[in-house]
Amino acid sequence: MLIANYNFAQMGDVLMVVLHQDSIAQVSEKKDNVVRIYDEKTGETLGYNFFQASKRVSDLNGVSGQVKLTQKQVNDLNDLLNEAGFAPELAVDDKPRFVVGYVEEMVSHPDSDHLHILKVLVNDGEHLQIVCGAPNIAEKQTVVVARVGAMMPSGAIIWPGKLRGKDSFGMVCSARELGLPNAPKKRGILELPAAEYEIGQAFDFKQAAGLFSAK
């Protein structure tokens, strides 16, 4: 997993790269213009901060928010890691994190009066268990799923979690959570027209931008 974020206006010339979820035992070390964040107990790298990033990483000018790093950009970052004395461990991650899913099963959460436990098909034969509290969630819906590792438009990252003791591996998204223009203000997941979307395909934000007309 590799999640990158660059926002010069708010953070300065710093490219932040996340590889794993935060740890209560996380610490950091700085060498040259690179900060490595890692788990002190396991030694696992959780992420890096690259300072003065635009001087060495190609095509960052004008970027704001999540960056889908190219192979060239990852090579640039690995060069910086190597020069600083860190292991050049980064690899391109082109797996789609926002995908079209299908709610195959839904049962009530045993410890909640509004949560439901879903079995969601997200690819050929691949299902995710997701706990959802949307009032309009139902079986046989075509939906948008933020998989583990997705960065929401708000900047939040989706990690595995538990809701009232039940595992949840992703999130079924609303139009507002996806940042779609003119999204309804009322709570509820975005139900896609099934005939226009294929289960497992990457969700196209540009295609979906016209789902809601301005009033």
Side-chain angles (χ1 to χ4, degrees), residues 73-96:
Q73 290 172 319
V74 170
N75 291 344
D76 292 340
L77 293 175
N78 278 327
D79 287 343
L80 288 171
L81 290 175
N82 192 53
E83 292 169 13
F86 292 117
E89 60 179 311
L90 302 182
V92 170
D93 181 0
D94 56 6
K95 181 178 181 179

Side-chain angles (χ1 to χ4, degrees), residues 6 12-13 26 46 48 70 93 96 102 105 129 133 137 152 158-159 167 194 212:
Y6 183 79
D13 193 8
Q26 73 181 41
L46 305 178
Y48 291 98
T70 65
D93 181 0
Y102 180 76
E105 297 178 9
Q129 176 171 294
I137 191 68
M152 304 300 295
I158 303 300
W159 298 111
D167 292 328
F212 305 100

